[in-house]
Amino acid sequence: MLKATQETALDVSADTDIALWLEQQTGKSLLRFLTCGSVDDGKSTLIGRLLYDSQLILDDQLASLKNESRNRHVGEEGIDFSLLVDGLTAEREQGITIDVAYRFFSTDKRKFIVADTPGHEQYTRNMATGASNADLALLLVDARKGLLTQTRRHSFILSLIGVKHIVLVVNKIDLVDYSQEVFERIEAEYRAFAAELGFKSLAAVPVSALRGDNIVQRSERMPWYGGEPLLPYLETVEVGEDRAQRPLRFPVQWVNRPNLDFRGFSGTVASGVVKVGDEVLVAASRKPAVVTRIVTMDGDFERAVAGQAVTLVLDREIDISRGDVLTHSGATPEYSNQFQARLIWMNDEPAYPGRSYLLKIGSQTVPATITGLKHRTNVNTLEKSAARTLELNEVGTVTVATDKPVAFDPYKDNGLTGGFILIDRISNRTLGAGTIDYGLRRAQNLTYQSFDVNREVRAQMKAQTPRIVWFTGLSGSGKSTIANFIEKRLTAEGKHAYILDGDNVRHGLNKDLGFTDTDRIENIRRVAEVARLMADSGLIVLVSFISPFRNERRMAREIAGDIDFLEVYVDTPLEVCEARDPKGLYAKARAGQIKNFTGIDSAFEAPERADIVLHGAEHDPVDLADELYVRLIG
Amino acid sequence: MGQDIGQTPTQLSHLHALESESIEILREVAASFDRPVMMYSIGKDSSVLLHLARKAFFPSRIPFPLLHVNTTWKFREMIAFRDRMAQEYEFDLITHTNPDGLRDNINPFDHGSSRYTDIMKTAALRQALDAGKYDAAIGGARRDEEKSRAKERIFSHRNAQHAWDPKNQRPELWRLFNTRLNPGESMRVFPLSNWTELDIWTYIYSEGIPIVPLYFARHRPVVERQGTLIMVDDERMPLAPGEAPREEMVRFRTLGCYPLTGAIRSDAATLAEIIMEMQASRTSERQGRLIDSDQAGSMEKKKQEGYF
């Protein structure tokens, strides 16, 4: 078959027509655009119309469409075009678009990939998703309604994600009698709003997607409109940005090592050009090497440009692995563990400063924390206001610290090395997307001072192994009681221990913190740091904190680093704790006098893999303390 | 395809850009998952996928196995082609057939296309994925094939039951794929998401990629059932009284189980003729597949249950 195919190809190359046609096919340019706007502005209908008018709807699709279009709002052709693009059953039933759908069509001049994105507010994240890979956006407005909150929100997101070319499509112009005055008013209003959003081009077209006005042909019903119809405009608009002209960024994706004689670094050139003979630098280590080969299955290349997936071979053995970025000296990316960024939050649970997330940028994935929320931008007015958390679909300016430095560029300089996502460390969901403004260099000047007397020395003096014992459980579960017994017994045996108790710490170090989720996270972070310092001084630290969230208990464990860390879950049922109610807090919470009380109106996330589980309702605290003591001292 | 583009910096053409994007996705899978596997259906999209995988890892061999779920009703030419490819390109080939279905002799004639597909394809696939403990399965699906596919992510998350939750997909920005999984979960990965049928054919043409001969028109024995031409590939095909296969010049736009795959009448015997015919044709490619028209929204339903 391999042979037959090759013969076939040879036969055909004699046929000039098809060869030319195929050459044209393979040489076409590509435009990726997205459609966005408010719900019911007719996005799906517009895309269906583009497909229909460029004669891309196939016979069987057309037949099934006509069938499905009965009882629906249809144009002169008797077809509801939105049915072409509204793919999911739920959407068809509800008559709305709920996710990004990708469509493909092509004309003689161009190929198009269309992302149809939803207008509903709760799905704004999907719009950002569609925008991240688009060169241009069609922003739909209903001529009867003019600019809406969603129009502004989406424009802001387009600007944030860096979509530079906008077409304002004033749809349903037939429903306002093809009014020039309505169109011009909307266009003027939008231009005023968009002035500060940094778009490179902005065109406005009055259309009726349902009736086909100004889609492919100029509409006779709007002689006053002097511009191009939509499709001809899309075929010719210049959006090109030559990534090859930018500095070299080659993120190493995969180390290619088929045998001992070959070691290559596979990746896609994100920007710039790399040539055989070039000296390249590893962004992190600054170690140089010379490119000796650019390997592909189609033979070695002399050079590779932005967008090409290749394998580089270097002249010497230097330490390079996935996540490293190769670059030219003199034009290196920033390399830092702190930066300022704009963050779009895409998750139901808000973004909390202080919580540890995973950050992915290029092929690098590292733990990271939002260290500060500078402000939140009101996407309707573009006004900035102070905020403590970032809710679903909100946009904030944040500072981010990563556990180790990463290589990056400001997003405005390089979209592929300046954009990142944040991932939840427990559910693994994608929580938000960020664009880096600039690196913060403070942390690079802060280094650790090392001293001669270290933890090992201090531990030997005390003849014990320093460790952190982290008690978690509901209020009244018995944490402090058990910790108290343990401390007494340790002290009696000549050991050095200390209890960090939630209530006590809140009277001093943490008295500025309340009980919101954000404050609870900061509460735990500080205590974890204190516990680490104490254990480093040689102590056995008993931490008795409700610590209701898995994420922060994980953070505490990570802060402890190489210090022995034991998570003890005092598992006492809520009814038992509430019956005990040693401080009368449950009664107050039930009466509504205390807000955000764990177990009542704030969640307790039970540990899934605690080191030790103590059943507080079934045993006497003294027995539980003895059991734990054996585990501690052995 | 991936040509050395000489001294003038340039924008990549559409096909070059698609090729690079797919290679990047395949490398991301190899770098991010412990036990990836590539679905190998032997069709033209699989042939392109195989070609891209060879390119992605060259000079290394493809660093994961290829899995073929064999319903026992595939065209004979497909199986012969599959074995030849495995030998020629030295990839690890794993095949799986649902042993329960085999025992109960589940077939498309006695059990209907829906039940047959459910047992011999969907359940078989789940068995094979569970048995191999694969955490990522690469498939050749394209977004232009079908409406529910148009909405699927490139890295598409599956829960421990292999089910897809279309309303709860992870946002996928730039080229930053979230590849993280909890125990038992898995990922379906679609490197050809942004390719169209025409892209596939022009790429096969320009790269000289081998494909199963069934795509080319030839005289073949067929019977007509409910307006669909079915090729009589072996003696297991039950014929109605008086029904006799007749030789017709036909080819296939898509390949699967022969009793469920409709042939089209065609004279297109070369790649160029296929592409010309396609440009003139007015029906979409999955029309030849009987399973999709069983019920409205049927592909979406199958996908939620774990079908590719």
Side-chain angles (χ1 to χ4, degrees):
Chain A
M1 187 54 229
L2 180 61
K3 216 170 155 222
T5 310
Q6 284 165 347
E7 282 164 10
T8 308
L10 279 177
D11 287 345
V12 168
S13 59
D15 182 343
T16 341
D17 280 357
I18 182 78
L20 278 176
W21 184 84
L22 279 164
E23 197 178 320
Q24 186 203 350
Q25 287 305 307
T26 49
K28 269 185 195 175
S29 68
L30 171 65
L31 180 73
R32 293 177 190 246
F33 70 91
L34 81 157
T35 56
C36 46
S38 192
V39 69
D40 293 333
D41 285 345
K43 294 178 300 297
S44 297
T45 304
L46 178 69
I47 297 177
R49 167 62 75 175
L50 282 170
L51 299 178
Y52 180 82
D53 281 357
S54 46
Q55 304 194 328
L56 285 148
I57 310 298
L58 305 169
D59 288 346
D60 56 329
Q61 288 176 321
L62 204 58
S64 94
L65 260 184
K66 282 195 170 145
N67 199 22
E68 288 180 55
S69 297
R70 277 184 233 140
N71 307 324
R72 297 181 68 108
H73 189 51
V74 298
E76 282 144 26
E77 296 84 358
I79 293 170
D80 179 351
F81 293 108
S82 70
L83 288 172
L84 272 172
V85 285
D86 284 347
L88 301 181
T89 315
E91 293 169 330
R92 252 173 279 154
E93 285 161 1
Q94 297 164 23
I96 53 159
T97 307
I98 57 169
D99 205 326
V100 190
Y102 295 91
R103 292 283 138 193
F104 306 83
F105 69 100
S106 95
T107 67
D108 287 343
K109 300 193 176 110
R110 239 182 197 166
K111 291 214 172 208
F112 299 93
I113 299 182
V114 190
D116 180 20
T117 64
H120 277 54
E121 186 171 330
Q122 64 267 42
Y123 293 110
T124 295
R125 60 180 199 155
N126 292 326
M127 203 213 96
T129 303
S132 72
N133 287 313
D135 308 309
L136 174 146
L138 299 189
L139 188 62
L140 270 84
V141 173
D142 185 330
R144 297 167 302 172
K145 297 180 190 159
L147 305 188
L148 300 174
T149 302
Q150 279 294 315
T151 320
R152 297 190 171 90
R153 180 187 289 266
H154 288 172
S155 301
F156 178 62
I157 292 168
L158 291 171
S159 125
L160 182 63
I161 298 289
V163 177
K164 293 289 177 213
H165 304 273
I166 306 290
V167 182
L168 183 73
V169 180
V170 180
N171 191 23
K172 306 195 185 182
I173 195 81
D174 54 321
L175 299 182
V176 294
D177 297 325
Y178 300 98
S179 162
Q180 177 176 11
E181 189 257 321
V182 169
F183 171 72
E184 287 177 349
R185 180 166 43 79
I186 292 173
E187 181 185 0
E189 200 183 331
Y190 188 74
R191 283 191 188 279
F193 167 76
E196 53 189 294
L197 292 178
F199 300 133
K200 278 188 186 154
S201 78
L202 171 59
V205 194
V207 308
S208 166
L210 194 67
R211 293 170 179 275
D213 291 300
N214 278 341
I215 303 293
V216 177
Q217 305 285 340
R218 191 180 301 278
S219 169
E220 292 167 5
R221 291 179 272 221
M222 286 171 278
W224 47 264
Y225 173 68
E228 274 184 296
L230 185 58
L231 190 61
Y233 181 79
L234 293 177
E235 279 182 314
T236 50
V237 61
E238 211 36 75
V239 297
E241 191 184 354
D242 202 345
R243 304 184 59 80
Q245 305 292 350
R246 308 237 171 205
L248 174 67
R249 301 288 181 261
F250 184 84
V252 174
Q253 229 191 329
W254 190 73
V255 178
N256 197 333
R257 188 124 223 216
N259 54 56
L260 291 175
D261 302 328
F262 187 93
R263 182 163 177 256
F265 304 98
S266 298
T268 303
V269 183
S271 63
V273 180
V274 59
K275 295 191 286 289
V276 171
D278 280 2
E279 185 178 88
V280 291
L281 282 186
V282 183
S285 65
R286 303 258 153 183
K287 291 218 169 88
V290 174
V291 176
T292 54
R293 291 179 65 193
I294 300 174
V295 176
T296 78
M297 200 171 85
D298 300 299
D300 279 13
F301 289 1
E302 273 304 306
R303 51 195 254 135
V305 304
Q308 288 189 304
V310 295
T311 298
L312 303 183
V313 179
L314 305 178
D315 70 334
R316 69 201 81 163
E317 290 261 335
I318 51 173
D319 189 20
I320 299 175
S321 54
R322 173 176 164 86
D324 274 320
V325 178
L326 302 181
T327 173
H328 287 136
S329 69
T332 56
E334 298 206 38
Y335 183 68
S336 169
N337 62 355
Q338 282 202 53
F339 51 78
Q340 177 172 313
R342 288 193 287 172
L343 183 64
I344 306 177
W345 200 248
M346 302 180 162
N347 192 49
D348 291 328
E349 195 185 3
Y352 296 117
R355 175 167 285 186
S356 177
Y357 301 107
L358 283 177
L359 178 142
K360 184 168 186 185
I361 181 166
S363 50
Q364 311 163 90
T365 305
V366 292
T369 310
I370 301 169
T371 46
L373 181 50
K374 301 188 87 164
H375 52 75
R376 170 162 65 195
T377 303
N378 181 319
V379 295
N380 306 323
T381 61
L382 305 190
E383 274 168 14
K384 292 161 179 160
S385 61
R388 301 198 72 182
T389 59
L390 210 53
E391 307 282 336
L392 175 67
N393 289 319
E394 289 187 334
V395 175
T397 297
V398 298
T399 49
V400 174
T402 53
D403 279 17
K404 58 173 202 163
V406 289
F408 60 86
D409 290 289
Y411 187 76
K412 66 175 170 47
D413 294 342
N414 197 327
L416 287 180
T417 50
F420 63 89
I421 55 172
L422 291 180
I423 300 170
D424 189 272
R425 303 192 61 175
I426 288 172
S427 73
N428 287 324
R429 294 187 57 81
T430 302
L431 303 175
T435 59
I436 295 177
D437 291 332
Y438 47 81
L440 301 169
R441 302 201 171 269
R442 292 195 289 268
Q444 283 175 316
N445 304 325
L446 255 177
T447 54
Y448 283 101
Q449 189 73 41
S450 60
F451 297 96
D452 293 335
V453 178
N454 58 23
R455 188 194 318 151
E456 212 170 295
V457 175
R458 293 187 284 260
Q460 272 173 9
M461 277 176 63
K462 297 184 175 64
Q464 64 184 28
T465 307
R467 51 166 46 113
I468 297 169
V469 185
W470 191 283
F471 293 85
T472 176
L474 292 167
S475 175
S477 60
K479 299 182 298 296
S480 297
T481 311
I482 297 167
N484 184 41
F485 282 125
I486 296 262
E487 189 184 26
K488 280 204 289 191
R489 185 152 168 202
L490 283 168
T491 308
E493 308 265 344
K495 307 285 184 196
H496 299 79
Y498 190 86
I499 295 182
L500 284 167
D501 178 81
D503 289 344
N504 297 352
V505 174
R506 276 186 178 278
H507 281 118
L509 176 65
N510 289 354
K511 70 179 170 191
D512 57 327
L513 299 176
F515 290 87
T516 62
D517 288 351
T518 310
D519 282 357
R520 282 172 184 272
I521 292 167
E522 176 61 12
N523 185 36
I524 299 301
R525 189 192 67 81
R526 291 187 196 171
V527 168
E529 291 285 2
V530 171
R532 188 183 66 85
L533 291 173
M534 288 182 147
D536 197 50
S537 75
L539 295 178
I540 296 169
V541 190
L542 309 168
V543 183
S544 170
F545 269 62
I546 297 173
S547 39
F549 303 137
R550 276 182 209 128
N551 257 317
E552 281 62 58
R553 293 193 299 263
R554 180 209 292 258
M555 171 174 75
R557 191 186 286 271
E558 284 173 358
I559 287 172
D562 61 348
I563 294 167
D564 201 32
F565 187 96
L566 209 63
E567 184 175 329
V568 179
Y569 175 30
V570 184
D571 184 6
T572 309
L574 178 64
E575 310 81 71
V576 178
C577 297
E578 197 168 350
R580 289 178 183 164
D581 204 5
K583 298 166 196 158
L585 296 174
Y586 283 96
K588 284 187 186 167
R590 289 288 183 198
Q593 291 161 4
I594 306 177
K595 291 274 171 246
N596 298 322
F597 193 78
T598 301
I600 307 296
D601 57 350
S602 183
F604 180 81
E605 299 170 1
E608 283 169 339
R609 284 180 290 271
D611 298 302
I612 296 172
V613 179
L614 301 176
H615 296 283
E618 293 160 29
H619 304 282
D620 188 84
V622 179
D623 296 340
L624 291 171
D626 286 346
E627 182 188 334
L628 184 57
Y629 185 86
V630 174
R631 289 287 297 274
L632 280 182
I633 304 301
Chain B
M1 173 55 42
Q3 294 154 2
D4 193 348
I5 59 173
Q7 290 307 308
T8 36
T10 178
Q11 304 260 330
L12 298 184
S13 77
H14 180 66
L15 272 185
H16 275 113
L18 287 175
E19 180 190 65
S20 290
E21 178 184 86
S22 301
I23 288 175
E24 185 174 348
I25 293 161
L26 287 163
R27 287 172 173 168
E28 197 68 7
V29 175
S32 309
F33 294 91
D34 293 332
R35 293 182 63 83
V37 67
M38 188 159 110
M39 307 306 302
Y40 186 51
S41 73
I42 321 173
K44 63 182 193 310
D45 303 287
S46 268
S47 291
V48 167
L49 204 51
L50 170 59
H51 188 74
L52 291 165
R54 292 173 55 225
K55 284 195 169 194
F57 305 108
F58 180 87
S60 291
R61 287 171 53 208
I62 300 173
F64 39 72
L66 274 68
L67 171 66
H68 178 227
V69 173
N70 193 350
T71 59
T72 73
W73 291 92
K74 300 293 175 190
F75 290 93
R76 285 174 296 168
E77 280 182 83
M78 290 171 69
I79 301 301
F81 180 85
R82 175 195 76 187
D83 294 341
R84 224 194 67 222
M85 288 296 109
Q87 196 179 13
E88 204 159 305
Y89 296 138
E90 300 183 322
F91 56 79
D92 292 333
L93 176 68
I94 296 170
T95 64
H96 177 78
T97 303
N98 183 345
D100 308 330
L102 205 58
R103 183 195 61 221
D104 300 339
N105 188 28
I106 301 295
N107 65 73
F109 305 109
D110 301 327
H111 303 92
S113 76
S114 170
R115 175 130 184 269
Y116 161 77
T117 303
D118 195 42
I119 295 172
M120 298 309 280
K121 289 175 93 168
T122 312
L125 174 64
R126 278 203 302 256
Q127 288 171 348
L129 294 178
D130 285 339
K133 294 190 167 55
Y134 300 116
D135 52 1
I138 304 162
R142 308 187 317 267
R143 284 171 174 159
D144 80 325
E145 279 179 84
E146 199 269 338
K147 280 192 274 191
S148 74
R149 286 199 166 146
K151 309 211 158 185
E152 189 155 10
R153 303 291 189 253
I154 293 174
F155 282 72
S156 187
H157 180 262
R158 293 293 188 277
N159 66 18
Q161 286 72 48
H162 302 292
W164 181 50
D165 181 0
K167 287 195 178 172
N168 223 353
Q169 300 193 78
R170 294 174 176 178
E172 204 162 66
L173 290 105
W174 301 289
R175 300 282 184 84
L176 294 175
F177 303 110
N178 177 351
T179 56
R180 303 197 46 99
L181 297 172
N182 279 318
E185 297 175 346
S186 62
M187 201 70 84
R188 301 279 168 92
V189 186
F190 304 105
L192 302 180
S193 286
N194 289 326
W195 295 58
T196 63
E197 188 182 11
L198 180 60
D199 296 328
I200 294 286
W201 282 117
T202 43
Y203 188 70
I204 288 171
Y205 174 86
S206 56
E207 295 279 291
I209 298 171
I211 53 171
V212 182
L214 292 160
Y215 285 110
F216 299 102
R218 191 181 291 173
H219 286 287
R220 296 188 170 95
V222 293
V223 294
E224 191 161 342
R225 300 247 169 109
Q226 295 160 10
T228 305
L229 292 174
I230 302 294
M231 175 174 160
V232 182
D233 194 47
D234 60 36
E235 69 296 339
R236 290 178 298 171
M237 174 99 181
L239 298 173
E243 190 182 39
R246 57 175 192 271
E247 292 280 315
E248 287 212 43
M249 190 72 170
V250 294
R251 67 178 198 86
F252 296 86
R253 294 181 65 183
T254 168
L255 295 180
C257 301
Y258 81 78
L260 296 178
T261 307
I264 55 166
R265 293 187 176 92
S266 166
D267 293 321
T270 65
L271 273 176
E273 285 166 2
I274 287 173
I275 294 171
M276 305 252 269
E277 180 189 277
M278 222 190 80
Q279 280 312 88
S281 93
R282 304 290 304 159
T283 48
S284 67
E285 112 189 80
R286 294 192 74 86
Q287 201 206 17
R289 289 199 189 170
L290 296 180
I291 56 164
D292 289 348
S293 45
D294 265 8
Q295 60 185 100
S298 65
M299 178 58 81
E300 185 185 341
K301 193 159 165 290
K302 287 196 176 63
K303 285 167 68 64
Q304 287 182 12
E305 290 161 1
Y307 183 72
F308 244 84

